[in-house]
Amino acid sequence: MSIQTVGIIGAGTMGNGIAQACAVSGINVIMVDIKQDALDKGVSTVTSSLDRLIKKELLTNDQKGAALAKITTATNYEALKSAQLVIEAATENYELKVKILKQIDAFLPPEVIVASNTSSISITQLASITSRPDRFVGMHFFNPVPMMALVEIIRGLDTSDQTHSKVETLAKKLGKSPITVKNAPGFVVNRILVPMINEAMFVLAEGLASPEDIDEGMKLGCNHPIGPLALADLIGLDVCLAVMEVYLKEYGDSKYRPCPLLKELVAAGRLGRKTKHGIYSYSK
């Protein structure tokens, strides 16, 4: 049976982005969060994003209305029972993800596929705490989800061919270009990207250049659309730090040591765009 309804756990940046991508593509969405305020904010973010697409003449008002009608919200996991796929898009925290996965695994019908949008945590490890490791998969979207074409589909040790095929088909239906990845810390893109961001932080901390010049150098010299420090602010400095800490633990290689400046900024609550201040200020 094809995937007609997707449950999404988490209404934050990634969760509401995935919800938008699904809804615009005609997929029913059940977005769940523990707080109604978070759900309201998530739907508001989707609405604003759709309005921007209308201004760019990439979407019509009728299409916006149809997409929003596809999204329902709930503050309890029971609402996810009608989904054929549930995507966990909570904060990049292993203990939190385990807690959520154990809770939903207990009552979801056995045929439901569960995916994690984790950017660094082992899919095999997450799958092992559920009763459906063959129907568990990584589905790593990239921020901003509505604009980014890539989805990494990560196969855990026990992920079945059928599960992989269904998720790959859904990704393509969303207009994404999926790549298939074996399970390993950081998978492919973030394994390369986040250490590059961490190295840019070291360059900044050593005073070799200003943030602006570091970013401009990488944009002009490597043809990147956005500099690594600006990208770190977009991703969230806390997320970057969490990913580096996973690499350091899993690989045991000092090359993955998080830059002390990155740790200090996170400790100060300067997490990037989401807090209006990271490496750059976004208060204006």
Side-chain angles (χ1 to χ4, degrees):
M1 184 173 66
S2 63
I3 297 171
Q4 304 294 327
T5 301
V6 172
I8 299 170
I9 300 174
T13 301
M14 298 306 294
N16 67 60
I18 298 168
Q20 178 179 328
C22 290
V24 168
S25 301
I27 303 292
N28 295 314
V29 174
I30 305 164
M31 188 163 61
V32 176
D33 206 299
I34 57 174
K35 294 182 179 180
Q36 187 61 46
D37 286 351
L39 291 166
D40 293 342
K41 184 178 179 181
V43 173
S44 176
T45 299
V46 172
T47 303
S48 298
S49 179
L50 296 176
D51 284 338
R52 286 194 294 274
L53 292 176
I54 290 172
K55 287 182 180 179
K56 295 177 181 178
E57 298 184 350
L58 297 174
L59 199 74
T60 67
N61 275 303
D62 287 346
Q63 288 172 320
K64 170 191 170 183
L68 290 174
K70 290 284 184 182
I71 302 174
T72 59
T73 63
T75 54
N76 63 85
Y77 294 145
E78 294 288 327
L80 298 170
K81 284 186 175 181
S82 61
Q84 291 84 49
L85 167 68
V86 174
I87 302 173
E88 171 274 309
T91 303
E92 192 72 353
N93 178 284
Y94 175 73
E95 287 75 19
L96 175 61
K97 290 182 184 294
V98 167
K99 179 181 177 182
I100 290 170
L101 291 172
K102 284 183 176 178
Q103 288 177 334
I104 64 172
D105 186 60
F107 65 81
L108 285 180
E111 67 274 9
V112 175
I113 295 171
V114 176
S116 176
N117 181 56
T118 178
S119 57
S120 63
I121 299 171
S122 169
I123 295 302
T124 297
Q125 188 175 9
L126 291 176
S128 72
I129 61 98
T130 75
S131 63
R132 63 192 81 214
D134 60 321
R135 294 178 302 286
F136 194 96
V137 68
M139 202 172 184
H140 181 211
F141 291 82
F142 287 76
N143 185 34
V145 177
M147 307 303 296
M148 297 293 281
L150 179 64
V151 176
E152 286 182 321
I153 299 176
I154 303 100
R155 298 189 68 148
L157 188 62
D158 296 313
T159 303
S160 70
D161 291 341
Q162 183 182 38
T163 295
H164 173 267
S165 178
K166 285 187 175 183
V167 169
E168 184 179 52
T169 298
L170 174 68
K172 291 177 179 178
K173 185 172 182 178
L174 302 184
K176 304 302 182 185
S177 299
I179 64 171
T180 299
V181 180
K182 290 182 179 179
N183 184 60
F187 317 128
V188 170
V189 175
N190 280 347
R191 169 78 177 274
I192 299 167
L193 175 66
V194 182
M196 182 195 74
I197 288 173
N198 192 54
E199 193 64 26
M201 294 292 297
F202 273 113
V203 170
L204 176 63
E206 291 166 17
L208 299 184
S210 68
E212 293 81 4
D213 282 349
I214 292 168
D215 280 347
E216 193 70 4
M218 291 301 292
K219 286 163 63 179
L220 297 177
C222 298
N223 203 28
H224 290 185
I226 183 173
L229 298 177
L231 181 57
D233 275 352
L234 180 63
I235 294 170
L237 301 188
D238 54 333
V239 175
C240 293
L241 176 59
V243 171
M244 288 303 297
E245 288 176 335
V246 167
Y247 293 172
L248 184 62
K249 177 183 177 183
E250 295 298 324
Y251 290 113
D253 191 325
S254 62
K255 73 179 182 180
Y256 296 115
R257 179 174 67 93
C259 176
L261 177 59
L262 175 61
K263 296 170 74 172
E264 187 173 13
L265 288 169
V266 172
R270 288 174 51 176
L271 309 183
R273 286 182 177 271
K274 58 188 172 186
T275 59
K276 307 287 187 192
H277 200 185
I279 297 163
Y280 297 101
S281 175
Y282 304 92
S283 57
K284 293 181 180 179

